[in-house]
């Protein structure tokens, strides 16, 4: 094994254990998506190709209705932007980390999702592990989990029957754990408390699920304005 293979192998061994919780969630959610496509009359090729190329779970579920009903490109574009607008904020915070050469950068941008962002943003990567390869494997493994789950669901959807009630809680629980881990790493909690407070305020003012985008815009604006004092207080880690 040459030096480059050792670097890649060490990055994979470091990244894989951190993606195991994601694997559990993505396989089940991907399976549910594949089954949904199957019972809607689509061959397994559809969920396999769509999960591989779109790689945005909520949008993929919506495309089932778009494919079966009248397709409105402007409505699809607006909904897709609204659902995935949070990725704009993810991208801003990862500009330095994702500044890698060649195809690595392109794939990291394409494969950016909530779960990959959370791991790549918060993981304590050992000094002897290549950070670029680590982020590539986190993104790639999460992508594979999703495609495999969707393909299996598409293949065997007509044969599998299970109650998916409460399945989405897996992801909610995951993000709670990630937030708590980040909380425990912080020297001060100003930025976390600011995020919680502004989210709660937007929820009270707007109500419903529409509060998410205004919350993120408000948090982004507040953190941008308060960046210097928060940095002095140790609020940014």
């Amino acid at each position: 094994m040459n030096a480059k293979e050792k670097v890649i192998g060490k990055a994979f061994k470091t990244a894989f254990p951190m993606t195991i919780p994601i694997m559990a969630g993505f396989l089940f959610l991907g399976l549910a998506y594949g089954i949904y496509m199957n019972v809607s009359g689509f061959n397994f090729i559809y969920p396999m190709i769509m999960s591989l190329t779109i790689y945005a779970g909520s949008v993929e579920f919506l495309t089932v209705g778009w494919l079966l009903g009248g397709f409105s490109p402007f409505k699809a574009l607006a909904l897709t932007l609204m659902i995935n607008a949070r990725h704009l904020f993810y991208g801003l915070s990862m500009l330095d980390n994702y500044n890698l050469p060649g195809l690595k950068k392109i794939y990291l941008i394409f494969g950016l999702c909530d779960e990959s962002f959370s791991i790549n943003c918060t993981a304590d990567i050992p000094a002897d592990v290549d950070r670029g390869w680590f982020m590539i494997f986190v993104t790639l493994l999460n992508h594979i989990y999703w495609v495999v789950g969707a393909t299996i669901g598409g293949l065997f959807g007509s044969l599998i029957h299970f109650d998916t009630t409460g399945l989405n809680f897996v992801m909610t629980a995951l993000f709670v754990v990630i937030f708590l881990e980040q909380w425990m790493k912080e020297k001060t909690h100003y930025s976390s408390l600011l995020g919680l407070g502004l989210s709660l305020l937007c929820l009270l003012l707007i109500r419903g699920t529409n509060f998410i985008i205004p919350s993120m815009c408000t948090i982004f604006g507040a953190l941008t304005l308060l960046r210097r004092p928060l940095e002095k207080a140790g609020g940014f880690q």
Side-chain angles (χ1 to χ4, degrees), residues 140-188:
L140 178 63
L141 287 167
N142 289 341
H143 195 179
I144 290 173
Y145 302 149
W146 179 253
V147 174
V148 170
T151 304
I152 293 174
L155 276 170
F156 303 105
S158 59
L159 305 176
I160 302 173
H161 302 282
F162 66 95
D163 185 4
T164 60
T165 303
L167 196 61
N168 287 338
F169 184 73
V170 172
M171 289 299 165
T172 304
L174 174 65
F175 279 105
V176 170
V177 171
I178 290 172
F179 176 81
L180 290 176
E181 287 183 348
Q182 184 65 22
W183 176 279
M184 294 172 67
K185 292 178 184 176
E186 293 175 341
K187 295 178 182 176
T188 64

Side-chain angles (χ1 to χ4, degrees), residues 209-226:
T209 56
N210 293 330
F211 83 99
I212 295 176
I213 299 301
S215 297
M216 299 190 76
C217 292
T218 308
I219 292 170
F220 177 74
L223 290 177
T224 301
L225 291 172
L226 300 174

Side-chain angles (χ1 to χ4, degrees), residues 116-137:
S116 297
F117 169 78
S118 299
I119 295 176
N120 287 333
C121 186
T122 61
D124 286 326
I125 305 172
D128 60 343
V129 173
D130 185 277
R131 187 175 186 85
W133 279 112
F134 172 86
M135 294 190 295
I136 285 288
F137 280 122

Side-chain angles (χ1 to χ4, degrees), residues 36-171:
Y36 183 42
M37 289 290 286
N38 182 284
V39 299
S40 298
F42 294 97
N43 187 282
F44 80 95
I45 295 294
Y46 282 84
M48 183 177 72
I49 298 298
M50 290 167 66
S51 60
L52 183 67
T53 56
I54 299 177
Y55 193 36
S58 302
V59 174
E60 289 174 47
F61 275 96
L62 287 175
T63 56
V64 179
W66 296 341
L67 291 172
L68 292 173
F71 176 65
S72 170
F74 294 108
K75 181 180 178 182
L77 176 63
L79 280 174
T80 302
L81 286 175
M82 185 174 67
I83 292 170
N84 292 305
R86 64 190 184 282
H87 288 191
L88 296 173
F89 302 98
Y90 295 168
L92 288 174
S93 61
M94 299 300 284
L95 283 176
D96 292 333
N97 291 331
Y98 279 12
N99 189 23
L100 299 172
L103 294 177
K104 285 183 181 178
K105 181 178 183 179
I106 295 173
Y107 181 68
L108 285 174
I109 293 172
F110 165 75
L112 180 62
C113 65
D114 300 335
E115 294 74 15
S116 297
F117 169 78
S118 299
I119 295 176
N120 287 333
C121 186
T122 61
D124 286 326
I125 305 172
D128 60 343
V129 173
D130 185 277
R131 187 175 186 85
W133 279 112
F134 172 86
M135 294 190 295
I136 285 288
F137 280 122
V138 167
T139 306
L140 178 63
L141 287 167
N142 289 341
H143 195 179
I144 290 173
Y145 302 149
W146 179 253
V147 174
V148 170
T151 304
I152 293 174
L155 276 170
F156 303 105
S158 59
L159 305 176
I160 302 173
H161 302 282
F162 66 95
D163 185 4
T164 60
T165 303
L167 196 61
N168 287 338
F169 184 73
V170 172
M171 289 299 165

Side-chain angles (χ1 to χ4, degrees), residues 1-17:
M1 182 180 291
N2 59 39
K4 185 175 181 181
E5 289 174 340
K6 288 182 180 178
V7 169
I8 295 174
K10 182 172 287 188
F12 177 81
K13 290 179 181 177
T14 306
F16 176 65

